[in-house]
Structure formats: C-alpha cells, structure tokens
Amino acid sequence: MENLKNRVTIYEVAKVAGVSLATVSRVINNSDIVSQKTKDKVNAVIKKLGYKPSALAQGLATSKSTCIGIVVPSANYVYISNMLSGMTDKAKELGYDLRLFTTSHNREEALKVMDDVITSHVDGAIIFDDELGNGELMQIASYAVPLVAINNDIEASNVGCIHFGYEHNIRNIVNEYLKHPDKEMYFLHSHNAGKLLARIEKAFVETHVQNNANYGILSCDDSYSKTYSDFKVFFESTKKGYFLTYRDSLAAAIMNAAIDSGLRVPEDVEVLSLIGTKYAQIMRPQISSMHIDLYNIGARAVEMLANIMNQTECEKHLKIASEFIKRSTTL
C-alpha cells in the first residue's frame, strides 16, 4: 500500500487534525457551524499535507450520500448472502449506500482489495475476510477510515469488532459426547476456510486431548462433489463416525455418501454442520448444525459503523454466541 501514501486523502487530514471527516468537509466548504479555532487547525493541516479537496469532501458537508464499503470473501455462500441482506436492509433504513468488494482465498488479492477500498473514498468499511490479519486491518484504520471488522480483534478509536462465538459450544458438544462415545469423532479441515474454522478445530483437538480420547482430522476441498466421492471411498473401510464439517453442503455430501454406502444416519454416521443455514432444514434427514443469526450480524455491523462514523457513543466489541440446533443427523 506504499503507493497510496503519495496522495493525501481527506481521511489523513481528519486523522492528523483529530476531527471527523464531516468536520474537515465543513471547513473546506466554509461552514458557519465550525468554530474558528477548529477551522484554523484543519486549514493548517490541509496546508501542511498539501491536501487538494475532492468531490467527496464537498458531498460530506451537504450530507448528500454516505457510502459504506463491504469486503467479503465471496457473495456466493448462503451464509454470506444472509449477512449481506442484513447489511443492505439496515443501510437502506439509515440512508447509506453500499459498495461491495469481494476477494478470493488469496492474501495478496485481499491486500489489493484493501487498496481499492481506500482509493474508492468510501466513508467507512465493514470487513469480513479471514485472509487478512490485524496488521493489514490496522493499516486501513490508519487512514482514518471508520471500520467494523467481523471475526477480527482490533483496538483503535475508529474500529469496531464483532466476533462469532463457537469454541465454547464446540467444547461442550465434544465433552458431552465423550461421556458415552460409540464412534470416533472426526473434524473436516477444509482448505482455505480461514481463521474461524482454525479456532474451532483447535477447540475440538484440545478437548479430545484433555479427555485422552482418540479423534481424526480429515482434509477436504470446499466442494460437494469432491467431498461426496472422497467419502464414498472412505466409507468402504470405515463404517462409523461422528463428523464435524464447515458448511451444510459438505455435511450433505458426507450424509449422502453414507446413505449411498448402505450406512444409517445417525446410528452409524453422525454429522454436524458448523455454519448452519436454511439448507440444514431442507435436507432429508435434516442436518444438525450450529446457528448464528447472520442477518442480524450484518444489520448490527452497519449500525455499529454508522455510530462510529457519526462519533456516537456505542459498544464497539460484540461477541455473538452460536447455538447448537439438534436435528436428525445426530443422536
């Protein structure tokens, strides 16, 4: 992102002056509602940095529109779509426009998208991308862009965080199961699934180690057809197991492979989907899953960002706990 430092943005002016974007805009537009002391301070920073006002600066003062950038790894997953629906509805309610940025499972591409977010002059951003670490997100925050990070933990005055709480429930599920186990538990390690799945996997492994219990880790692709074919082979030699997997489609692949191999669900094969969606209920048998209201998370993310942009007092660290919903694929 070094190339971005060659151009001065309104975000940098606001950061150096210690004021909001709207205040810088009002100073540029010579608004009467800003004190002379604040005008002098902001104008001094503008002169020092060599900032050239843009259309964004004029638009902020008149409050014609406020644009929020949304960064997600893909809009194709159902759980991402649910979150985007919540963001869209809340943004419409609050009078904000949204601009969507998508990344693939590639850190370099994610960093390029962050460049795009900053140079697009969005007024704030919501970022849900497991390929980005706290360092990259802090770099964005350093441009004084108000930010809400989903599933990342950052401490900064212009940043809010929303966490998914899975580990506690996973430990409870494993502990309860290990009191009377009749199958070995397996965790499906999906390639490029990100830090959330890595945290859940860590909780799964640690709980088994604490109980001196056997467990298995199976690697799989994030693909229904590949997972189905792999498990058709797996079930030729393994006739029982309890499988924890990332998404409903992978859980369905395991369940269907088991049934097509002549195994019973859940008597022989139990399956739990970690990020449950509506498809967990559509499948037959219905899939047991962990549930988080992602529509609500999307709406709360926009609301939190709006409060940060408007410098309104708000809770900037939220943890949303998951809920285990037992259906027909677990005993």
Side-chain angles (χ1 to χ4, degrees):
M1 291 189 179
E2 290 78 6
N3 60 309
L4 296 175
K5 287 297 184 183
N6 295 326
R7 56 186 301 280
V8 180
T9 69
I10 189 174
Y11 305 109
E12 291 174 282
V13 174
K15 180 183 178 183
V16 174
V19 298
S20 68
L21 298 177
T23 297
V24 175
S25 180
R26 292 185 184 110
V27 171
I28 291 168
N29 289 277
N30 200 28
S31 171
D32 292 334
I33 67 173
V34 181
S35 70
Q36 190 60 47
K37 180 179 179 181
T38 299
K39 286 182 179 180
D40 292 343
K41 179 172 66 171
V42 172
N43 281 324
V45 172
I46 289 173
K47 183 177 180 181
K48 177 181 177 181
L49 298 180
Y51 171 65
K52 303 298 182 184
S54 65
L56 169 67
Q58 298 171 350
L60 281 170
T62 58
S63 299
K64 290 181 180 178
S65 75
T66 301
C67 184
I68 295 173
I70 307 295
V71 181
V72 294
S74 171
N76 295 328
Y77 295 139
V78 173
Y79 69 95
I80 296 292
S81 298
N82 291 344
M83 188 185 300
L84 288 175
S85 293
M87 292 177 180
T88 301
D89 289 348
K90 180 57 69 170
K92 184 177 180 180
E93 175 189 326
L94 297 178
Y96 295 155
D97 295 326
L98 298 182
R99 181 173 178 183
L100 182 65
F101 301 82
T102 60
T103 66
S104 64
H105 297 296
N106 181 291
R107 184 174 178 275
E108 291 305 315
E109 181 182 334
L111 290 174
K112 181 183 180 302
V113 169
M114 293 306 100
D115 282 359
D116 294 341
V117 170
I118 294 170
T119 56
S120 69
H121 297 305
V122 295
D123 304 302
I126 299 172
I127 299 178
F128 176 42
D129 193 313
D130 269 354
E131 296 298 326
L132 293 171
N134 288 5
E136 289 87 5
L137 295 177
M138 282 301 296
Q139 193 168 7
I140 300 165
S142 73
Y143 282 85
V145 180
L147 180 67
V148 169
I150 297 177
N151 228 27
N152 273 284
D153 189 16
I154 304 174
E155 290 291 342
S157 60
N158 63 329
V159 177
C161 303
I162 298 178
H163 298 276
F164 298 165
Y166 274 90
E167 294 92 324
H168 178 71
N169 271 338
I170 292 300
R171 292 180 189 276
N172 285 343
I173 289 170
V174 174
N175 277 322
E176 284 300 313
Y177 184 78
L178 292 178
K179 289 178 180 177
H180 305 286
D182 67 333
K183 309 175 186 72
E184 184 167 319
M185 298 187 87
Y186 295 87
F187 192 95
L188 261 69
H189 177 92
S190 299
H191 307 305
N192 298 317
K195 289 180 287 189
L196 173 61
L197 191 66
R199 293 204 318 263
I200 299 172
E201 181 177 334
K202 183 173 182 287
F204 173 88
V205 171
E206 288 178 347
T207 308
H208 276 84
V209 171
Q210 290 164 3
N211 285 277
N212 294 315
N214 293 327
Y215 64 91
I217 302 293
L218 304 174
S219 292
C220 73
D221 294 322
D222 190 6
S223 161
Y224 172 89
S225 58
K226 183 68 166 61
T227 301
Y228 173 85
S229 62
D230 286 346
F231 269 87
K232 279 285 289 180
V233 174
F234 182 84
F235 288 134
E236 289 177 3
S237 57
T238 304
K239 303 301 183 182
K240 299 188 75 173
Y242 188 134
F243 301 89
L244 282 71
T245 187
Y246 185 31
R247 300 192 297 116
D248 292 342
S249 62
L250 301 182
I254 297 170
M255 178 181 72
N256 291 340
I259 293 171
D260 292 347
S261 299
L263 304 177
R264 299 169 301 165
V265 177
E267 291 83 0
D268 301 320
V269 172
E270 296 184 64
V271 185
L272 170 62
S273 173
L274 297 172
I275 299 183
T277 67
K278 63 183 180 182
Y279 292 109
Q281 301 175 68
I282 292 173
M283 295 299 299
R284 292 295 181 270
Q286 293 184 335
I287 299 171
S288 296
S289 65
M290 307 298 293
H291 175 73
I292 282 184
D293 187 345
L294 290 163
Y295 177 94
N296 179 53
I297 285 177
R300 295 183 74 172
V302 170
E303 188 171 29
M304 179 186 291
L305 182 61
N307 286 329
I308 294 172
M309 289 191 298
N310 295 324
Q311 298 184 329
T312 302
E313 192 71 26
C314 67
E315 175 57 57
K316 293 196 292 186
H317 288 269
L318 296 177
K319 186 168 185 177
I320 311 298
S322 61
E323 176 189 4
F324 172 50
I325 300 180
K326 184 184 178 305
R327 296 191 179 94
S328 301
T329 59
T330 56
L331 292 172

